[in-house]
Amino acid sequence: MWTVPLIVGLLLTTAEAAAAAPSGTATVPLEELIPLYAQREPPPATPPPTEALVKSQLKGRLTADALFVEGHFDVEVLADGRWTQVRLLQLDADTFPGTLPTVDGATVGVIDGHLCLLTRKAGRYVFDVDLHVRSPGAGPERRAQLRFGAHVAPVPLSLEADTSVFTLAEPLPTRGGEAFTVYPHQGALRVGWRAALAQVSSQQKQQVRPPLEPRITEANASWVSTLEGRATLRVSYSLSLDREQSLDLVLPEGHRLERVTLNAIPIPVTSEEGSLTLKAAPARLGETTGTLEVVLSRELGVFHLSGRLHLALPRVSWPVAELRARAHFPAVFNYRREGGSLEQYESAAVSEAGASGLPGKALHFRQYLVAASAPTLELGYSVDISGSYFR
């Protein structure tokens, strides 16, 4: 056993012995003295390794009682082969996420009151998350607070606030127009506002729009006839209305009702003595447009070498701003307008027979400002002998 003189022990412990009142002598083995001396100065603690690097961008907009935040996160996970939990934002009773994103190789969810990214695979993960931060209380003053997680450095919030609708509680740095910047304070973003409309007196109420007078902005009709005289009449009406309205139609004489569709949906209707009444409505709730289509059939009789055709369209109870009609009749005849309210015109879009996809010669007619009347047309026809031997 090794022993050391008393003076060696005193030199090694001189700092402590000087401050202590008692004194004495001791003999300590060297192999026991060295470990005791090593315990006096513990090695410096190494900082925990960084598991993830996070970049974030936040955009927000105000609603009547909440702050809506759109968060963009770019997370670089460094650890591989073990579970890594990256805490992004703190969530409380007034903060909750919308639809959580789907990220390949990782999961974004709520763990222990935090919005977290959980994965055991190193790599880069980029995703967006929507958050609703409600204001506690029910008074006119609104407050919203969003706290950052332990792994995210606080960043400013780009806020959109319509100053004609909302009044901010504190002045914020502006980026022009309705864009403001909210800087973090003590690891949290805080926004206060109130609805500017609440300050308007009760006498200044929003004006109610008067009911829309129902009308037909445009009507398109087409006649298609075979050489045997079987004709089909199709009429499409573009409706302008803001609620359910009653519409009356009177069918032309000699026509048979085939079908009626309202906003592309067939509706059952019955014709009594050539007239029918139906309930027209907009295509969707809140819109002011609709479409009505009526299909009729008629026997014109066999075409002769020459003759006359008397054509008519249904009479509707709503005014029609513009009516356009096409007639597709056998190409072996020449046709001429001889009367009626519809006027003939040349169409640049369809000038050749068959260019519209329908057989026969195409004739074009129109009429403006039709009100409570049935448009009519009289056509004379004769055999087309152009290019023949007898011409």
Side-chain angles (χ1 to χ4, degrees):
M1 174 182 296
W2 284 86
T3 61
V4 295
L6 177 61
I7 187 171
V8 176
L10 293 175
L11 289 175
L12 294 177
T13 60
T14 180
E16 293 80 3
S23 61
T25 61
T27 301
V28 181
L30 181 61
E31 62 269 18
E32 297 181 6
L33 179 63
I34 294 176
L36 292 175
Y37 184 77
Q39 294 179 3
R40 290 165 48 83
E41 296 182 1
T46 58
T50 302
E51 297 181 345
L53 302 176
V54 181
K55 297 180 182 179
S56 60
Q57 294 179 353
L58 299 178
K59 296 180 180 179
R61 68 174 186 271
L62 297 179
T63 63
D65 56 356
L67 170 65
F68 179 75
V69 179
E70 299 176 1
H72 176 77
F73 297 95
D74 187 342
V75 182
E76 184 76 21
V77 178
L78 305 178
D80 194 12
R82 59 187 178 86
W83 289 107
T84 300
Q85 182 184 125
V86 184
R87 295 191 172 187
L88 305 173
L89 297 171
Q90 295 186 33
L91 306 181
D92 52 25
D94 296 318
T95 305
F96 54 93
T99 302
L100 295 176
T102 301
V103 182
D104 293 338
T107 300
V108 178
V110 179
I111 304 175
D112 296 333
H114 288 77
L115 177 67
C116 299
L117 172 76
L118 184 63
T119 183
R120 62 183 305 173
K121 181 179 179 182
R124 184 184 179 190
Y125 303 92
V126 181
F127 54 93
D128 297 326
V129 179
D130 296 336
L131 295 168
H132 295 267
V133 186
R134 295 181 302 187
S135 172
E141 296 289 343
R142 298 293 181 178
R143 293 279 178 178
Q145 176 177 269
L146 181 63
R147 291 190 173 275
F148 293 91
H151 300 94
V152 178
V155 296
L157 170 71
S158 298
L159 178 66
E160 294 182 3
D162 188 351
T163 54
S164 64
V165 179
F166 302 105
T167 300
L168 297 176
E170 298 89 7
L172 297 176
T174 179
R175 296 184 290 110
E178 300 175 354
F180 301 88
T181 301
V182 181
Y183 289 98
H185 179 66
Q186 296 180 350
L189 295 167
R190 297 178 178 86
V191 182
W193 76 98
R194 66 180 302 165
L197 296 178
Q199 303 174 359
V200 181
S201 61
S202 59
Q203 290 79 9
Q204 299 178 351
K205 295 182 179 180
Q206 185 179 4
Q207 295 183 356
V208 180
R209 186 179 63 182
L212 185 65
E213 187 69 22
R215 62 190 183 95
I216 298 173
T217 58
E218 184 181 10
N220 291 278
S222 63
W223 289 283
V224 180
S225 175
T226 63
L227 191 61
E228 293 79 9
R230 291 190 294 272
T232 300
L233 171 61
R234 184 188 304 269
V235 189
S236 178
Y237 300 97
S238 298
L239 310 179
S240 176
L241 70 169
D242 58 357
R243 61 191 184 281
E244 188 179 75
Q245 298 279 1
S246 177
L247 176 64
D248 298 329
L249 287 94
V250 179
L251 307 185
E253 185 178 356
H255 287 70
R256 182 174 65 255
L257 180 65
E258 297 294 339
R259 69 177 180 273
V260 178
T261 60
L262 178 63
N263 301 322
I265 301 176
I267 58 175
V269 293
T270 57
S271 175
E272 297 181 0
E273 298 181 358
S275 63
L276 58 96
T277 300
L278 54 90
K279 295 292 184 180
R284 297 178 181 85
L285 184 63
E287 296 186 356
T288 58
T289 58
T291 303
L292 175 67
E293 186 178 74
V294 181
V295 180
L296 308 175
S297 61
R298 177 192 174 188
E299 293 291 338
L300 294 176
V302 179
F303 282 80
H304 302 284
L305 296 179
S306 63
R308 177 175 292 187
L309 299 174
H310 298 274
L311 306 174
L313 295 175
R315 184 178 66 192
V316 294
S317 58
W318 295 3
V320 182
E322 181 180 1
L323 169 65
R324 295 183 180 271
R326 290 197 319 268
H328 297 269
F329 290 143
V332 296
F333 298 101
N334 287 324
Y335 301 91
R336 60 189 180 276
R337 178 184 178 276
E338 295 186 350
S341 61
L342 292 170
E343 61 174 354
Q344 189 172 2
Y345 72 99
E346 294 294 332
S347 174
V350 183
S351 58
E352 299 293 335
S356 63
L358 295 174
K361 289 184 177 179
L363 309 173
H364 300 269
F365 307 89
R366 63 187 174 192
Q367 184 176 346
Y368 299 99
L369 303 179
V370 184
S373 63
T376 58
L377 176 64
E378 294 184 11
L379 287 179
Y381 68 90
S382 58
V383 174
D384 184 4
I385 60 173
S386 60
S388 66
Y389 175 81
F390 298 100
R391 186 170 68 87

